[in-house]
Amino acid sequence: MTQPLYQVDAFTSRIFGGNPAAVMPLEQWLPDNVMLSLAMENNLSETAFFVPLPDDEDADFHIRWFTPGTEVPLCGHATLASAWVIFNKLGWDKEQIRLLSKSGPLSVRQAEDGWLVLDFPNLGFEERPTPDLIREALAEAPDTAFFVPNDTNYMVVLKDEDAVRSAQPDLRKLKQLGNQGLIITAPGEDCDFVSRYFAPGAGIDEDPVTGSIHSVLVPYWSEKLGKTRLDARQISARGGVLRCELKGDRVDIAGQAAFFMEGSVYLP
């Protein structure tokens, strides 16, 4: 049996930038252990799988995402990459793609300038004392952190962009968080805010660009900066650019995509 495989760099206009995602369109679901094995073999931060839903009035596809270590409830860059494949490789001629996911209904549309706009949930967060494990892993972490229960992440706010860029958290310590990840963020110098994201317990030491964390970052910075439209950068080594807008209980997260390769996977 063969399955098509695509690789797309998300949140960038050029290959070798942004965040590479593997995309595998399916006619029907493979066993979970096979999808996890495929994600491990692809060895990217995320592999997205989706199946068509021709009889569903509210969704066009059901989408799932796997890291090399686990299935995750929400992923932005692999959703953007999947939308690029659906629009450009599968001949989708509608203005919008409606997706069913573990995080509820999502959608992707093409803006007039060609950017892909993700419609994601506004994820709530809770202020908590910074866990000792995070303080041990990141010496510059403040006393207060924010926990994101619907995406199992912690977020800490650092003093400035340089602090985010130069941060070198102890990944061995962070791995003890298990499937929980750590977002670090600060005001940006030439954008509204910057961020980085670490999730070694889920098989991702540092994710190059993470769309889903902007479901938390956007409402946080929208309140802090008093604006609903925000320009963001994820300042990993590969880097990524995002245009975001807070829309009540939803968040628009827009980015570009660069097509890298396609092929076939041979399964027994």
Side-chain angles (χ1 to χ4, degrees), residues 55-115:
D55 299 323
D56 194 316
E57 294 182 355
D58 299 318
D60 303 306
F61 299 91
H62 183 186
I63 190 168
R64 296 171 69 184
W65 312 274
F66 288 78
T67 76
T70 189
E71 183 175 7
V72 295
L74 187 64
C75 176
H77 83 280
T79 302
L80 188 142
S82 297
W84 190 95
V85 169
I86 293 169
F87 278 124
N88 294 280
K89 292 294 182 178
L90 303 187
W92 191 256
D93 59 1
K94 299 178 182 178
E95 294 181 358
Q96 178 177 257
I97 303 167
R98 302 170 303 163
L99 301 166
L100 176 66
S101 79
K102 286 183 177 290
S103 292
L106 312 173
S107 69
V108 189
R109 69 181 189 276
Q110 282 189 309
E112 291 183 359
D113 59 4
W115 285 50

Side-chain angles (χ1 to χ4, degrees), residues 97-140:
I97 303 167
R98 302 170 303 163
L99 301 166
L100 176 66
S101 79
K102 286 183 177 290
S103 292
L106 312 173
S107 69
V108 189
R109 69 181 189 276
Q110 282 189 309
E112 291 183 359
D113 59 4
W115 285 50
L116 295 172
V117 184
L118 309 177
D119 173 30
F120 267 33
N122 176 340
L123 294 181
F125 50 87
E126 304 166 357
E127 188 170 344
R128 296 184 178 182
T130 302
D132 290 341
L133 191 58
I134 292 177
R135 293 179 63 86
E136 293 169 7
L138 186 67
E140 57 268 43

Side-chain angles (χ1 to χ4, degrees), residues 15-55:
I15 61 169
F16 310 130
N19 199 353
V23 178
M24 295 192 66
L26 304 172
E27 291 301 318
Q28 58 187 14
W29 290 117
L30 299 170
D32 285 10
N33 67 310
V34 173
M35 291 191 286
L36 181 58
S37 294
L38 286 165
M40 293 173 64
E41 189 76 10
N42 290 332
N43 199 31
L44 298 173
S45 61
E46 305 282 350
T47 297
F49 302 88
F50 57 83
V51 298
L53 297 174
D55 299 323

Side-chain angles (χ1 to χ4, degrees), residues 192-258:
D192 291 302
F193 65 88
V194 298
S195 66
R196 291 172 69 192
Y197 180 63
F198 307 89
I204 308 168
D205 285 350
E206 179 172 2
D207 199 28
V209 194
T210 318
S212 62
I213 63 173
H214 290 76
S215 284
V216 181
L217 288 162
V218 171
Y220 175 85
W221 287 111
S222 177
E223 180 180 350
K224 290 293 182 182
L225 300 176
K227 56 194 298 189
T228 57
R229 293 187 178 183
L230 299 154
D231 292 325
R233 292 183 182 273
Q234 196 153 335
I235 53 174
S236 64
R238 292 175 64 107
V241 178
L242 308 93
R243 296 193 316 216
C244 307
E245 184 174 0
L246 182 63
K247 293 186 171 181
D249 63 352
R250 307 295 294 179
V251 176
D252 276 359
I253 305 164
Q256 297 170 288

